[in-house]
Amino acid sequence: MDHPSETLRHKCAACFRQFNKIEHLVEHMRLSFHSLHEPTCSLCHKHCRSFESLREHLIGPLPKQECNNIFGTRGCKICLAIFESPHTLRLHQERCQLRSPNSSQTMARFRNMGIYDKLTSDNGRMRRHEAVALACRMVGGGSDGSLDICARVCLIDENETIIFSTYVNPTLPITNYRLESTGVGPEYMRDHAMPLKQVGKKIEDILCNGEPMWKIRPGVGGKARILVGHGLGDHLKSLQIEYPPFMIRDTAYYPPLMKTSKLTNSLHYLTQAYLGYDIQNENKDPYEDCVATMRLYMRMRSQVHKIEEYPLASDPQNKNNFAIWKQFELERMSPEQMLEVSRSDYYCWCLDSKLN
């Protein structure tokens, strides 16, 4: 039987997995990329790969009972935070549970116009915002109507204000309007649509914010805007836009918002689970998708994590943290010391708050 101290020594300080040999723990730390940016239980301090894993730990079918008991009376089921008292929790929930935006009223003023350009309507002044959210409505092209073609696009800023909205006249013929899911009919394309090339150029101008595309760099000092959305790869492809990946924040592929199986969650699920309301699908309005993704982004960005000078495992300063040639040194470390030098393998959106 292992001595208790030896068992503790082989227990991961992040996810609490236990290993028979210290070299197995070292290998686990080498591959797991545990970090202070992972969703963490504020009671037992267990690190989870995603918020869905944390939710299972707290209120899943087989939760940790001690944490589940406390969470049941003082835990927020939306953000998964735990508070000092039920009263503090009630005050928090009033702010944490958001409401669906009334997009029907917001867009009614622009529906007959077809095109709404906030930057132009403000006498050409470029309003500088750190992030903009984009969403599209796709109709069908091709012989069977299965080819996704953007027919409507919307962009909003961090204040949920529409800065650009238009129907899009594609270069390919539309063979299926998918009216039930898009709300787009032939009359909108005939009377209100903007040419695809012109739309792409306008969106690129908004994103680059006066900075040449080839000059855009990550970090502080640039003028280009961060682009937020859900499944942005398909949207940008349909709009024929290329934008640097390091400037994209996609809620479909952000590890803390993905399933425990590392598959993507739908925007409808993420909005319900982490914002506390349902997207009103009957409106068929990309504005609501923009608002949902922007709110998810802002909520993730507002998380407070300890500041690290080099937070990513891919930073050159961290490339040797778990190098094979340091095996003997690593085996002499405690689990807590190994966690201290471990770094994240994804870019945490909380780091964007440092770019202001």
Side-chain angles (χ1 to χ4, degrees):
M1 181 180 236
D2 289 337
H3 189 275
S5 63
E6 187 179 357
T7 303
L8 181 62
R9 182 172 177 244
H10 299 157
K11 179 180 179 181
C12 175
C15 67
F16 301 162
R17 281 188 63 186
Q18 296 192 34
F19 301 87
N20 293 328
K21 297 181 178 180
I22 186 63
E23 54 263 38
H24 295 165
L25 174 58
V26 171
E27 184 63 17
H28 164 75
M29 294 300 295
R30 184 177 285 128
L31 300 175
S32 64
F33 299 99
H34 286 310
S35 77
L36 51 81
H37 295 285
E38 292 176 305
T40 304
C41 175
S42 58
L43 294 170
C44 69
H45 307 295
K46 178 182 179 179
H47 291 227
C48 300
R49 189 61 180 173
S50 66
F51 282 102
E52 190 164 302
S53 296
L54 178 58
R55 189 181 298 275
E56 290 179 1
H57 167 78
L58 293 168
I59 52 177
L62 296 171
K64 183 176 180 181
Q65 202 56 53
E66 297 89 337
C67 298
N68 175 261
N69 292 340
I70 297 175
F71 188 87
T73 57
R74 295 192 275 125
C76 175
K77 293 183 179 179
I78 298 174
C79 69
L80 305 180
I82 298 172
F83 296 86
E84 294 180 357
S85 68
H87 174 69
T88 310
L89 171 63
R90 285 193 297 272
L91 294 177
H92 162 81
Q93 286 176 327
E94 293 175 3
R95 302 187 304 272
C96 192
Q97 183 164 5
L98 304 180
R99 295 183 179 180
S100 175
N102 194 339
S103 64
S104 57
Q105 292 181 5
T106 305
M107 292 299 293
R109 292 172 292 169
F110 317 129
R111 200 171 298 281
N112 293 330
M113 297 168 57
I115 300 170
Y116 180 68
D117 183 349
K118 177 83 172 151
L119 300 180
T120 301
S121 66
D122 283 348
N123 299 320
R125 291 195 304 269
M126 293 293 286
R127 298 181 62 198
R128 183 169 180 173
H129 288 276
E130 187 183 25
V132 295
L134 177 147
C136 299
R137 283 291 175 266
M138 301 289 195
V139 293
S143 58
D144 60 354
S146 63
L147 180 66
D148 286 337
I149 297 175
C150 177
R152 191 176 178 189
V153 64
C154 180
L155 277 84
I156 67 169
D157 62 24
E158 291 184 10
N159 298 315
E160 301 177 7
T161 301
I162 298 170
I163 54 177
F164 182 63
S165 178
T166 184
Y167 292 94
V168 182
N169 189 7
T171 55
L172 296 175
I174 298 173
T175 56
N176 184 355
Y177 280 91
R178 304 175 184 174
L179 189 60
E180 290 186 1
S181 61
T182 65
V184 176
E187 67 277 11
Y188 293 110
M189 307 306 294
R190 182 176 60 249
D191 301 330
H192 304 300
M194 191 181 210
L196 174 63
K197 189 172 182 180
Q198 192 176 343
V199 171
K201 178 65 168 61
K202 185 63 188 177
I203 293 174
E204 284 186 357
D205 288 345
I206 293 171
L207 295 176
C208 294
N209 195 20
E211 189 169 8
M213 187 78 75
W214 61 272
K215 268 192 171 183
I216 297 175
R217 298 289 183 272
V220 180
K223 295 189 294 183
R225 292 175 165 93
I226 290 170
L227 177 59
V228 178
H230 190 83
L232 280 170
D234 292 336
H235 294 172
L236 294 177
K237 181 180 179 181
S238 181
L239 290 164
Q240 298 179 6
I241 294 173
E242 293 186 6
Y243 200 54
F246 55 80
M247 296 296 291
I248 291 175
R249 307 291 181 263
D250 197 326
T251 56
Y253 297 101
Y254 186 50
L257 293 177
M258 296 178 73
K259 297 180 181 180
T260 52
S261 57
K262 297 185 179 180
L263 298 175
T264 61
N265 278 303
S266 68
L267 182 58
H268 184 275
Y269 170 80
L270 293 176
T271 304
Q272 187 180 62
Y274 301 110
L275 299 178
Y277 70 90
D278 290 318
I279 293 178
Q280 303 301 312
N281 292 326
E282 63 269 16
N283 291 329
K284 306 176 182 64
D285 199 328
Y287 174 75
E288 289 207 46
D289 290 357
C290 284
V291 171
T293 55
M294 181 61 80
R295 288 177 175 179
L296 287 165
Y297 167 72
M298 299 286 279
R299 189 153 281 187
M300 295 296 105
R301 192 180 75 178
S302 66
Q303 292 186 300
V304 180
H305 297 143
K306 180 182 174 183
I307 297 175
E308 296 170 320
E309 189 173 2
Y310 303 106
L312 298 175
S314 58
D315 289 332
Q317 295 80 1
N318 296 323
K319 67 178 182 179
N320 291 325
N321 286 7
F322 286 92
I324 296 296
W325 56 266
K326 292 181 67 176
Q327 182 73 20
F328 180 71
E329 179 183 338
L330 290 166
E331 290 179 8
R332 298 182 65 185
M333 287 184 176
S334 68
E336 291 74 21
Q337 288 171 325
M338 279 191 270
L339 178 58
E340 193 172 331
V341 299
S342 184
R343 293 293 183 268
S344 175
D345 61 343
Y346 66 87
Y347 179 89
C348 181
W349 292 350
C350 79
L351 301 172
D352 285 346
S353 62
K354 315 297 189 296
L355 302 179
N356 291 333

mmCIF file of all heavy atoms in Angstrom, residues 307-311 315:
data_model
loop_
_atom_site.group_PDB
_atom_site.id
_atom_site.type_symbol
_atom_site.label_atom_id
_atom_site.label_comp_id
_atom_site.label_asym_id
_atom_site.label_seq_id
_atom_site.Cartn_x
_atom_site.Cartn_y
_atom_site.Cartn_z
ATOM 1 N N ILE A 307 -2.392 37.495 -13.731
ATOM 2 C CA ILE A 307 -1.624 37.970 -14.877
ATOM 3 C C ILE A 307 -0.297 37.227 -14.978
ATOM 4 O O ILE A 307 0.437 37.112 -13.997
ATOM 5 C CB ILE A 307 -1.368 39.487 -14.766
ATOM 6 C CG1 ILE A 307 -2.702 40.245 -14.792
ATOM 7 C CG2 ILE A 307 -0.470 39.971 -15.896
ATOM 8 C CD1 ILE A 307 -2.562 41.735 -14.557
ATOM 9 N N GLU A 308 -0.032 36.698 -16.166
ATOM 10 C CA GLU A 308 1.237 36.029 -16.447
ATOM 11 C C GLU A 308 1.917 36.758 -17.598
ATOM 12 O O GLU A 308 1.273 37.142 -18.572
ATOM 13 C CB GLU A 308 1.007 34.566 -16.836
ATOM 14 C CG GLU A 308 0.397 33.714 -15.744
ATOM 15 C CD GLU A 308 -0.025 32.357 -16.276
ATOM 16 O OE1 GLU A 308 -0.561 32.297 -17.392
ATOM 17 O OE2 GLU A 308 0.166 31.359 -15.557
ATOM 18 N N GLU A 309 3.212 36.938 -17.492
ATOM 19 C CA GLU A 309 3.932 37.650 -18.545
ATOM 20 C C GLU A 309 3.899 36.864 -19.849
ATOM 21 O O GLU A 309 3.769 37.441 -20.942
ATOM 22 C CB GLU A 309 5.380 37.908 -18.118
ATOM 23 C CG GLU A 309 6.126 38.832 -19.059
ATOM 24 C CD GLU A 309 7.501 39.218 -18.536
ATOM 25 O OE1 GLU A 309 7.886 38.733 -17.444
ATOM 26 O OE2 GLU A 309 8.182 40.008 -19.208
ATOM 27 N N TYR A 310 4.009 35.551 -19.748
ATOM 28 C CA TYR A 310 3.967 34.684 -20.931
ATOM 29 C C TYR A 310 2.932 33.583 -20.666
ATOM 30 O O TYR A 310 3.264 32.531 -20.121
ATOM 31 C CB TYR A 310 5.342 34.094 -21.227
ATOM 32 C CG TYR A 310 6.403 35.150 -21.418
ATOM 33 C CD1 TYR A 310 7.361 35.397 -20.426
ATOM 34 C CD2 TYR A 310 6.426 35.918 -22.580
ATOM 35 C CE1 TYR A 310 8.323 36.388 -20.604
ATOM 36 C CE2 TYR A 310 7.387 36.906 -22.761
ATOM 37 C CZ TYR A 310 8.332 37.128 -21.774
ATOM 38 O OH TYR A 310 9.271 38.122 -21.949
ATOM 39 N N PRO A 311 1.669 33.804 -21.057
ATOM 40 C CA PRO A 311 0.588 32.904 -20.633
ATOM 41 C C PRO A 311 0.381 31.661 -21.486
ATOM 42 O O PRO A 311 -0.368 30.770 -21.082
ATOM 43 C CB PRO A 311 -0.645 33.807 -20.718
ATOM 44 C CG PRO A 311 -0.323 34.781 -21.812
ATOM 45 C CD PRO A 311 1.167 35.009 -21.737
ATOM 46 N N ASP A 315 4.381 30.190 -26.284
ATOM 47 C CA ASP A 315 5.351 31.283 -26.151
ATOM 48 C C ASP A 315 6.763 30.703 -26.080
ATOM 49 O O ASP A 315 6.990 29.718 -25.365
ATOM 50 C CB ASP A 315 5.064 32.108 -24.894
ATOM 51 C CG ASP A 315 3.801 32.945 -25.014
ATOM 52 O OD1 ASP A 315 3.457 33.313 -26.149
ATOM 53 O OD2 ASP A 315 3.171 33.227 -23.982
#
